[in-house]
Amino acid sequence: MMSKQVSYWTEFYKGLYDQNPIFRQVLGMCPTLAVTVSGPNGLAMGLATSFVLLFSGIVISSLKNLIPKQVRIAAYIVVIATFVTIVDIVMKAKFPEMSKDLGPFIPLIVVNCLILGRAEGFSSKNNITRSVLDGLGMGVGFTIGLTILGGIREILGSRTIFGLQVLPDAFEPWVIMILPAGAFLTLGLLFGLLNFVELKKKTKKIKEDQQRALAEIKKLTESSEEDLAVKEG
Amino acid sequence: MSETVTTTPEVKKPELKLTSSPHLHSTWSTQKAMWIVVISILPALISGVLFFGLYQLIVVFVSIAGAVLTEYAIKYFRNQRITITDGSAVITGLLLGLIVPPNFSLVLVFLGSVVSIAIGKEVFGGLGYNIFNPALVGRAFLQAAFPVAMTTWSKPEFAPDAITSATPLSAWKFVDGGEPFFTATENLFYGNIGGSIGETSALAILLGGALLFVLKIANWRVPAAMVVGMLVFGGIFHLLNPENYPTPVDQIFMGGFLFGAIFMATDWVSSPVTNKGMYIYGLGIALIIVMIRLFGGLPEGVMYAILLMNGFVPLINRYTRPVIFGEEK
């Protein structure tokens, strides 16, 4: 079906960095900005989303030939909503505290564009194995992103990391970090940092390519000069 | 014929310089203008030291150091020309140092000036590209991050015994049950009142402002529009209910209005470029200030008013664009 099949490992791995849902695709910004007040919140949100991502991927990928093209988005939403309901009910029963913290953002996973995006863009065009790997990769990437964001905001905003105090009392907590503005600031700076690193990598590669090309040219001219010398000689 | 040797006087070859336009250069440079702005801010700094003590000099110095070091570090890491000598970072640091409360924590003011330069200016690309006034971005950050520290006002030197005092605005707005308290206009003018380090003395600010307007570094239209706006909008509410709302003249001398009008709103980069736009900008700032002061939850609104109108500047520029010569209106 696909013109170029990539390896299974790449299918999983791409979600971690190259196509990271938060930092590369910039998908699912609503939970990213709203619930990452602390590390645990980010982790819980990430895991809940990963679960939905994985199972909706499996179902949609196996039903892809049965769903008529015209109503596919509605069908995807029904599948996704089913799994979100499961997550919501399980969390309410097993982790009532966390469920209260995350509030309406668990039900809102239904409209998370990351899940719909992967369903439409990937699962509906690939087989189950690839969908599972893709869902896992994207889920892990999303969870890592949310946890980093939540961790940074937690350290600066309340001096703790996963509830453990890491900064001394003398450090004045930055209230802004647990406000929405802090999420925008942190996310923006992380984007900037990643782009900066990528840019550095790219310029380094270009420089290396240039040097290789220069060396080749030098070699060629030398050999042609030798040829000339031989002819004239 | 051969005897008449014509001794041609040595004709100096005309120096032909081939350059592209512009061919006329102003003697003004960004650098020169920036240092004059620094001088114009000095009276406000002196008034702050006079009213709140020598410690304020250290606060301002730390703020300037933070701004300049951040600018240097960012330019260095991005391999760009180091531009700290143009004075713009010094101004940002100086302004931020003057709009924090007296006896403010040195660590926090340093953090604020780092945020000013890094997030307020360099993220957008450096001098000339920032949408918002960098010093105000730093202050907004501090206000959101450390709300308690940012609203602890030390009393001025010549005030009755007390360690902290309310600013005239909060004394008027958040009185403990009863009549709103109006500070005497005289005190508001000379600056013997609670408030941020450099903003209390209207006299000192106007002195510095006069220099800027005489040398035409700051455009008078923005502050003028702000004052007119305050007189009109503030005046309406004062006339409606003189017992509750202070007179517009008092309001001009209160809080950061004059400091913001002269040193912040006239920022070249973040204010409109057309004359008509400047009037709209100034009036808008005044309207938002009146709304926040009289009806908002905060005592003072100059910072948010200027930041909000900064956001409107591209729109204002677009709609007040002059008609191109020859173009039908």
Side-chain angles (χ1 to χ4, degrees), chain B residues 169-183:
Chain B
L169 275 162
S170 50
W172 157 70
K173 195 163 180 175
F174 303 121
V175 275
D176 299 321
E179 298 293 295
F181 178 80
F182 294 110
T183 312

Side-chain angles (χ1 to χ4, degrees), chain B residues 125-145:
Chain B
L127 182 65
Y129 297 99
N130 48 302
I131 302 171
F132 300 103
N133 184 311
L136 285 177
V137 171
R139 192 185 194 279
F141 175 84
L142 288 175
Q143 177 85 57

Side-chain angles (χ1 to χ4, degrees), chain A residues 172-176 179 185 196 200, chain B residues 77 111 119 141 144-147:
Chain A
E172 185 122 10
W174 303 7
V175 181
I176 191 172
L179 299 174
L185 278 181
F196 184 70
K200 274 269 148 98
Chain B
F77 282 118
L111 180 69
I119 295 176
F141 175 84
F146 313 105

